[in-house]
Amino acid sequence: QVQLVESGGGLVQAGDSLRLSCAASGRSFSSYAMGWFRQALGKEREFAAAISYSGRLTYYADSVKGRFTISRDNAKTTVYLRMNSLKPEDTAVYYCAADLVGLGSSRTLSYEYWGQGTQVTVSS
């Protein structure tokens, strides 16, 4: 069993930056890929970013590419999502997820464990 706890969400103004953190516990953190997903009210959960177990490979949704940066610190068993130039359309609950068998995927089905989510609200 892997437990994931997100933090760092909040209410910010358009153009501001925010860094989300996801602390992991359970099995070997360095052996699984991690992803960030987000879900706005009334919408489906969508992929934002993913990172391989080593941190060498990263993937981003077109909607966040160039603005968001995913990173990981395996020594701290923590994954981060730095969000720059935030837009109102970035408003959503952001979820951290663990993929125990892959290298990172944009598909929710690929992830076995999920955090509780952290709210990010971007005002105009």
Side-chain angles (χ1 to χ4, degrees), residues 13-46:
Q13 191 171 231
D16 285 352
S17 296
L18 209 55
R19 189 181 78 161
L20 306 183
S21 297
C22 173
S25 62
R27 59 167 293 172
S28 300
F29 176 77
S30 61
S31 69
Y32 46 82
M34 300 292 296
W36 285 97
F37 291 77
R38 63 188 188 180
Q39 186 168 22
L41 279 175
K43 292 204 164 191
E44 293 183 355
R45 189 168 299 185
E46 67 175 16

Side-chain angles (χ1 to χ4, degrees), residues 33-38 44-52 57-65 70 95 97-99 102-112 114:
M34 300 292 296
W36 285 97
F37 291 77
R38 63 188 188 180
E44 293 183 355
R45 189 168 299 185
E46 67 175 16
F47 169 75
I51 188 166
S52 64
L57 301 176
T58 57
Y59 312 88
Y60 297 94
D62 289 341
S63 58
V64 308
K65 191 174 295 182
I70 187 171
Y95 297 91
D99 175 3
L103 296 174
S105 173
S106 63
R107 294 179 282 272
T108 59
L109 201 61
S110 296
Y111 296 84
E112 291 84 6
W114 296 79

Side-chain angles (χ1 to χ4, degrees), residues 38 40 43 46 63 67 86-92 94 122:
R38 63 188 188 180
K43 292 204 164 191
E46 67 175 16
S63 58
R67 298 188 299 120
L86 283 163
K87 306 173 181 179
E89 50 262 47
D90 294 320
T91 295
Y94 283 71
V122 185

